Amino acid sequence: QVQLVESGGGLAPAGGSLRLSCAASTRTFYIYAMGWFRQAPGKERDFVAAINYSGLTTNYADSVKGRFTISRDNARNTVYLQMNSLKPEDTAVYYCAADLSRGTIRVGAAAYDYWGQGTQVTISS
């Protein structure tokens, strides 16, 4: 069982930066692949980035590639999403998710087993 709590969201200007954090309660954080998803009003929850259990493999949505960086600190049970060069279209609720698939990265929301409550990110133009 995993409890996930996101933080770091808020309001930022276009071109600015934010860093989201996701703290996990499980003592076996190291076995999970971790992902970030986002959902704008009226839209489906979309994949943003994911990282495998070790942190050595990452994957990004094309829309954020080169701007966002996912990382994890297994000693602190935390995954991060560094967001740079933010655009108004990045505005969404951002969710952290944990995937029991330890060695692979999956991009479909249905593949993830545990979800945080989300943190709002709003980018002004």
Side-chain angles (χ1 to χ4, degrees):
Q1 187 176 7
V2 179
Q3 182 178 356
L4 304 173
V5 180
E6 302 96 335
S7 62
L11 179 66
S17 297
L18 288 171
R19 188 170 83 149
L20 306 184
S21 298
C22 173
S25 64
T26 179
R27 292 189 295 176
T28 57
F29 178 73
Y30 58 91
I31 72 172
Y32 294 93
M34 301 295 297
W36 286 97
F37 293 76
R38 65 188 182 186
Q39 187 169 25
K43 296 186 177 181
E44 294 186 349
R45 191 167 299 186
D46 291 331
F47 172 76
V48 176
I51 189 166
N52 78 336
Y53 71 96
S54 68
L56 296 178
T57 303
T58 58
N59 194 20
Y60 298 92
D62 288 342
S63 59
V64 307
K65 196 171 299 181
R67 299 189 298 120
F68 291 9
T69 302
I70 188 171
S71 61
R72 68 190 296 161
D73 186 342
N74 286 346
R76 293 181 167 86
N77 278 19
T78 303
V79 63
Y80 305 95
L81 185 68
Q82 178 67 47
M83 304 186 293
N84 298 327
S85 301
L86 286 162
K87 304 175 181 179
E89 52 262 45
D90 295 319
T91 296
V93 176
Y94 283 70
Y95 297 90
C96 176
D99 183 1
L100 286 169
S101 179
R102 180 176 182 267
T104 62
I105 295 176
R106 300 191 283 187
V107 301
Y112 286 75
D113 302 283
Y114 303 100
W115 293 85
Q117 293 299 304
T119 185
Q120 177 70 49
V121 171
T122 302
I123 311 303
S124 60
S125 59

